[in-house]
Amino acid sequence: MNIMPGAMLGLLGGGQLGRMFTMAAQSMGYRVTVLDPADEGPSSGIAERHLRADYLDGDALRELGAACAGVTTEFENVPAESLRILAEHCVVSPAASSVTVAQNRILEKQFLAANGFGVVPYAVIQNSRNSHKLDEVLLQTHPERLPDLFPAILKVSRFGYDGKGQVRVTNATELDSAFTGMNREPCVLEQLLQLESEVSVVVARGFDDKVAAFPVAENQHRHGILDISIIPARVSPAIIENAREIAIQIAEKLDHRGVLCVEFFVLPDGAPSKLLVNEIAPRPHNSGHYTIDACVTSQFEQQVRILCGVPLGSTAMRGAAVMVNLLGDLWQQGEPRWEQVLRHPSVKLHLYGKLAARPGRKMGHYTVLAETTEAALQLALEIKQSLAC
Ligand code: ATP
Ligand code: MG
């Protein structure tokens, strides 16, 4: 049974991805109830209803499941158990099974490697018997021996984002202290690779098994946080094709029903493999925000469509786009000079309604639309510069 406009949809999470989902849902005539423990947030502030409770609160989950025709999530760290409980009451997308894999770097790497998708050489680092010595720590390497991985990045397996929970290490002694710094929580140690560039693909897969990939984004990071996305990515047609195919295959292997983003590393010519999967996110992604202004259907509208069992929208895009993230650092001298963004007729400003502008916090973004990536990038950088001073 399809869920039609007018119905109440549920959303786990109060952040900006949820806000953009809520806006897409509301513009199509749906209503939204947000479950989020925080008093206020970007999505709970605009939803019809806010259930203020823990994600594992049984009463709140039952209430949400009874009030809503379908429930989705805006972040992967939602307890998979909550999705399982909700699935007893209403449609849930994505399912607990795909979120479980995507929220845990160890399971994610094992899933990708087991299904033949290229990943960065890595080792699983976890404490056996609460040991405090590295040589007693259980190491599973794939496929390299540990010393071959250095220099490397230690990444905590759960709850890392925007480069948080990541430390660069060059030898076993540094690894040991970095691991202690992570409270000896399970981690993945990844070889630090020389990257040519980074790209990502957002795909949408419905309950009808139909799948649609958006154009490939080229992503530039600063201090581990996405800074700029350039679309279409400035890589060869073969890489574009390959990235979209891999992203679709991952969604299918995971039996994912929802929006999924696959982040890739593009390696220099001569590397054994040109594309490696960095990580996956079982939801709309920051690198897909350009779809709001540049594509026929946004990644958030796809999320609504999938949840409601209606056909996927077109992912077609005309021209080029560049998206620039606005981090809290920009507010250090007070409110940024928005006229620098707003004076351009083909630039779209998005602010998430967050009250406190902390450094590194994603406060908003803008998207520059142009005929070519060069033109979009040039204007995007000019605006960035003018906002900074
Ligand atoms: P987010 O959730 O915001 O995507 P994250 O905290 O999950 O971030 P990763 O995607 O693992 O972080 O890494 C963030 C960035 O750090 C990557 O996009 C890349 O620029 C760099 N990076 C991560 N791992 C490696 C690696 N093995 N080799 C080279 N660079 C890396
Ligand atoms: Mg990432």
Side-chain angles (χ1 to χ4, degrees), residues 105 162 166 198 221 224 263 278-279 285:
R105 274 191 205 280
D162 287 348
Q166 300 196 2
E198 293 183 65
H221 296 80
E263 292 179 41
N278 170 22
E279 60 174 354
H285 192 262

Side-chain angles (χ1 to χ4, degrees), residues 76 105 120-121 152-153 155 160-166 168 190-195 198 219-221 223-226 263-265 278-279 281 283 285-286 362:
E76 64 268 36
R105 274 191 205 280
V120 182
I153 307 186
K155 301 183 177 181
Y161 70 99
D162 287 348
K164 293 189 180 71
Q166 300 196 2
R168 292 186 180 203
E190 275 182 28
Q191 194 171 55
L192 181 66
L193 297 176
Q194 272 303 5
L195 309 179
E198 293 183 65
N219 303 319
Q220 297 178 356
H221 296 80
H223 308 302
I225 306 177
L226 182 65
E263 292 179 41
F264 294 91
F265 292 146
N278 170 22
E279 60 174 354
R283 51 162 171 81
H285 192 262
N286 195 167
K362 289 174 180 167

